[in-house]
Amino acid sequence: MSKAQISRSQFVMTLTWSILGTGIVSIPTAVAQFTVRDAWLSTSCFLVGGFIAVVVTLFFIRRFPKRTLTAALVDTWGAWIGRIFGIWILLCLYVINCTVLRETEVFVGITILPKTSESTIGAAVMIAVAYAVYAGVEVIMRDGEFIMPLVMLIAPILFFLSLQHTDVHELMPVLADGWTPVLRGGVVAALAYALELLIGLQFVLFLRNGRKAAQDVGTAAGLVTVVLTLVTVVTVGVVGPSTHYITYPVLEAVRSIRVGRFIERLDTLYVIVVISMVFIKLAVFHYAWCVGMKDVFRLSSHRVTALTGALLVWGGGTAMFSSSDEVQRFVSHTVPLYFVVTFVGIPLLTVAVMAVKVGVQQRRVASARR
């Protein structure tokens, strides 16, 4: 498990797809609950959360260059306290996967499989995710590389075709309601979505050049910020004030595309891209959870929990959220603080404690030599 297996390009691509998988579906909707005309400004705040993720990653890899986050917790805090913190991280990863799976079930059920039960959709998705996780981190990263041509082909086509229906006046006047709605929407983008980049702390161990992980996280944050801002601008320009009420405004923007008399309903291509990226996100977070279970409970391999963990996520998604509205409320009002404590507070506190322990040990060694 300690052998380096991930390239920097794979790491950046996988982080990017993991955020965009749910970001291009949910962020415009989440931000539009606070502001519509200035939603693109709120989405741009993703870069602030990306900067926080870069700082946390930088401190972490300097102190733990060859450790996952969960392994670092046990090493720093000891068996009992370390496991308590580790279980907190594992619960957070589990909740994230349940949330993403529930969003996926609803999205797929509404868009392409309206006659298929959501539980069946979820089961099919998690079986594929469990297989990818069982196969190993290389398979997940190669999946990220595999979908890149698909995304790079379809996304620009849909973007430029949507521009023909964009009304710039829907974005005017800028800051008519002041900064308060923009910042409230920005909190969701910066803290509920951008901090997910810190899942990279569970993969630092596998990087060939782990000391540059902070740069890679920054690259992924920049790419995601640009894409989400452009998507939000086009969506608001096409859909207008209805963005506040529609569950999937980006989907509506894509559905407006018409080319001549015969080419329409390109939303199928959009759904293909979204499902491909969501699969990567589920696999990444589930793999991180399985590795965390191995570290915290000293299991023989992450494969031990690949299938059983997938079953837990499948059942937990429906048990925790009965509808997409509940998911949206949870993401908008609970997740920001939850992620700050989990992905920022705990890693930085762990780094500080380890720094103190190392300093004390060095002073003892120096005193013994005297």
Side-chain angles (χ1 to χ4, degrees):
M1 181 170 170
S2 60
K3 292 179 63 177
Q5 302 171 24
I6 302 175
S7 68
R8 294 180 64 193
S9 61
Q10 288 176 325
F11 186 59
V12 171
M13 276 189 293
T14 304
L15 286 180
T16 302
W17 303 148
S18 295
I19 304 303
L20 289 178
T22 51
I24 60 175
V25 176
S26 303
I27 286 185
T29 305
V31 170
Q33 304 308 307
F34 305 100
T35 178
V36 175
R37 285 191 299 265
D38 299 321
W40 64 277
L41 288 173
S42 296
T43 306
S44 300
C45 292
F46 184 96
L47 197 60
V48 177
F51 176 76
I52 296 173
V54 169
V55 172
V56 174
T57 303
L58 185 62
F59 281 111
F60 182 84
I61 60 177
R62 285 183 176 179
R63 186 58 60 183
F64 305 103
K66 296 296 181 181
R67 288 287 186 273
T68 61
L69 173 59
T70 45
L73 292 174
V74 176
D75 291 345
T76 303
W77 296 95
W80 290 102
I81 299 178
R83 284 196 176 100
I84 292 173
F85 279 120
I87 290 172
W88 178 279
I89 298 290
L90 292 175
L91 286 174
C92 183
L93 296 178
Y94 173 74
V95 169
I96 291 173
N97 250 11
C98 289
T99 305
V100 175
L101 180 64
R102 193 71 185 100
E103 289 179 308
T104 304
E105 291 174 346
V106 176
F107 179 78
V108 173
I110 291 176
T111 54
I112 58 175
L113 297 175
K115 295 184 180 181
T116 304
S117 66
E118 293 175 350
S119 60
T120 302
I121 296 171
V125 171
M126 290 312 298
I127 287 174
V129 168
Y131 178 78
V133 170
Y134 186 88
V137 67
E138 308 100 317
V139 173
I140 298 173
M141 297 297 158
R142 288 170 186 165
D143 286 342
E145 290 180 311
F146 179 77
I147 71 169
M148 184 176 180
L150 174 70
V151 176
M152 297 305 294
L153 175 65
I154 294 178
I157 293 175
L158 297 181
F159 175 77
F160 287 111
L161 290 178
S162 298
L163 282 177
Q164 62 183 323
H165 301 288
T166 302
D167 183 2
V168 181
H169 296 90
E170 297 290 353
L171 304 171
M172 303 294 177
V174 178
L175 294 176
D177 300 319
W179 280 101
T180 301
V182 172
L183 295 177
R184 291 179 67 189
V187 166
V188 177
L191 302 183
Y193 288 92
L195 292 186
E196 289 182 346
L197 290 167
L198 288 169
I199 193 65
L201 298 181
Q202 283 290 87
F203 292 87
V204 171
L205 173 64
F206 306 104
L207 281 169
R208 294 193 181 99
N209 192 350
R211 294 198 174 272
K212 294 188 177 181
Q215 298 178 25
D216 300 333
V217 170
T219 301
L223 291 173
V224 173
T225 302
V226 171
V227 172
L228 290 179
T229 302
L230 291 176
V231 168
T232 303
V233 167
V234 173
T235 300
V236 175
V238 173
V239 182
S242 299
T243 306
H244 178 77
Y245 306 100
I246 298 175
T247 304
Y248 302 119
V250 181
L251 181 64
E252 292 301 318
V254 173
R255 281 176 173 170
S256 68
I257 296 175
R258 300 288 188 277
V259 180
R261 298 176 58 186
F262 304 106
I263 300 178
E264 58 181 343
R265 293 306 303 265
L266 298 181
D267 51 297
T268 303
L269 299 178
Y270 166 74
V271 173
I272 291 173
V273 170
V274 169
I275 293 176
S276 299
M277 291 191 292
V278 166
F279 171 78
I280 299 298
K281 180 166 189 171
L282 286 168
V284 165
F285 278 84
H286 188 48
Y287 186 86
W289 183 83
C290 291
V291 170
M293 291 289 288
K294 177 184 180 299
D295 294 335
V296 173
F297 298 106
R298 301 188 184 279
L299 304 178
S300 59
S301 171
H302 76 278
R303 293 184 173 91
V304 174
T305 55
L307 180 58
T308 53
L311 293 175
L312 286 174
V313 172
W314 176 54
T318 304
M320 293 172 61
F321 307 103
S322 61
S323 66
S324 59
D325 291 337
E326 288 189 8
V327 174
Q328 191 60 59
R329 285 194 295 270
F330 175 72
V331 171
S332 299
H333 301 290
T334 304
V335 166
L337 181 59
Y338 189 26
F339 280 9
V340 168
V341 173
T342 303
F343 293 129
V344 179
I346 292 178
L348 289 182
L349 182 60
T350 302
V351 169
V353 170
M354 179 56 77
V356 171
K357 290 176 67 174
V358 171
V360 170
Q361 290 176 355
Q362 289 175 346
R363 284 194 293 271
R364 288 177 178 174
V365 171
S367 299
R369 289 177 178 176
R370 292 173 186 172

